[in-house]
Amino acid sequence: QVQLVESGGGLVQAGDSLRLSCAASGRNFNRCAMAWFRQPPGKERELVAAINRNGAITHYADSVKGRFTISRDNTKKIVDLQMNSLKLEDTAVYYCAADENAILSNVPTRLSSYDYWGQGTQVTVSA
């Protein structure tokens, strides 16, 4: 099992930067592909960024490409999401997720692929 705890959310202005962090516990973190999803108010949860087990492969939603960066530190069991040039439409609850069945070369993009979820952290971007 993997337990996930997100931190780093908050209220920022458009154009600002914010860094989210996901701390994982459990023995299988190195075997997990990891991702950040978000759920805007009144909308469905959507993939923001994902990273494979060793950090060599990443995937981003088109809406965040060039602005967000996902990274992981398998020694510290942490997955970060650096968010730059934040926009109003980035306002959402952000969730960290783990897929412990992913193969090394795979970056799962479907919500249903992920087995474990954090409780979420709110990011609010104001004008």
Side-chain angles (χ1 to χ4, degrees), residues 72-98:
R72 68 186 294 164
D73 185 329
N74 284 353
T75 301
K76 297 180 179 178
K77 297 185 180 180
I78 291 175
V79 178
D80 287 341
L81 184 69
Q82 176 66 42
M83 305 186 294
N84 298 329
S85 302
L86 282 161
K87 303 177 180 180
L88 298 180
E89 52 264 41
D90 294 320
T91 294
V93 178
Y94 284 71
Y95 297 91
C96 178

Side-chain angles (χ1 to χ4, degrees), residues 114-126:
Y114 289 86
D115 309 292
Y116 303 103
W117 295 82
Q119 81 288 352
T121 186
Q122 177 71 46
V123 173
T124 303
V125 184
S126 65

Side-chain angles (χ1 to χ4, degrees), residues 1-7 21-30 32-36 72-73 76-79 95-100 114-120:
Q1 287 228 349
V2 178
Q3 293 80 42
L4 304 171
V5 178
E6 302 98 335
S7 62
S21 188
C22 173
S25 60
R27 294 189 303 173
N28 295 332
F29 179 76
N30 289 6
C32 294
M34 301 296 297
W36 285 95
R72 68 186 294 164
D73 185 329
K76 297 180 179 178
K77 297 185 180 180
I78 291 175
V79 178
Y95 297 91
C96 178
D99 174 2
E100 68 175 351
Y114 289 86
D115 309 292
Y116 303 103
W117 295 82
Q119 81 288 352

Side-chain angles (χ1 to χ4, degrees), residues 18-80:
L18 201 60
R19 189 175 185 89
L20 304 183
S21 188
C22 173
S25 60
R27 294 189 303 173
N28 295 332
F29 179 76
N30 289 6
R31 295 170 52 188
C32 294
M34 301 296 297
W36 285 95
F37 286 79
R38 68 186 180 187
Q39 188 162 14
K43 297 184 179 180
E44 294 185 350
R45 198 170 297 190
E46 62 184 12
L47 178 71
V48 175
I51 190 166
N52 79 320
R53 286 163 48 182
N54 66 2
I57 306 170
T58 57
H59 173 87
Y60 296 93
D62 288 343
S63 59
V64 306
K65 280 181 181 177
R67 300 189 299 123
F68 291 11
T69 302
I70 188 171
S71 61
R72 68 186 294 164
D73 185 329
N74 284 353
T75 301
K76 297 180 179 178
K77 297 185 180 180
I78 291 175
V79 178
D80 287 341

